[in-house]
Amino acid sequence: MRLALFTLMLCAAPALAAAPGPEGVWRTAKGPKGGSMNVRVAPCQGSGAELCGTIVQIFDMTRTDFIGVVLIRDMAAR
């Protein structure tokens, strides 16, 4: 039984190590009027480990002037 559990843990370890981080482009949930947006989470400009989230694309909304707005500033892991 122990050998089977150990083998299962070894097989799962690479999948856990390859889990994606928070960086990338994330799609928000649809709002009350049906609109959503893509937010790019990436290191802040001139920063080390902190992350920022910037609107890069808007769907089903008439307000495109929000593109480039930073929604998340200086987010860091605890």
Side-chain angles (χ1 to χ4, degrees):
M1 180 69 175
R2 287 184 178 174
L3 181 60
L5 181 59
F6 180 72
T7 304
L8 179 63
M9 289 173 54
L10 283 178
C11 291
L16 293 174
E23 292 184 41
V25 177
W26 293 80
R27 181 91 175 249
T28 65
K30 289 186 176 184
K33 295 183 180 179
S36 65
M37 60 186 82
N38 282 348
V39 177
R40 180 181 312 280
V41 177
C44 301
Q45 291 183 357
S47 176
E50 291 85 13
L51 297 175
C52 289
T54 307
I55 299 171
V56 293
Q57 194 170 11
I58 296 176
F59 303 97
D60 303 324
M61 294 174 61
T62 57
R63 300 282 312 258
T64 58
D65 56 330
F66 290 131
I67 294 176
V69 171
V70 179
L71 295 177
I72 302 168
R73 291 188 190 278
D74 302 325
M75 181 174 68
R78 287 184 166 218

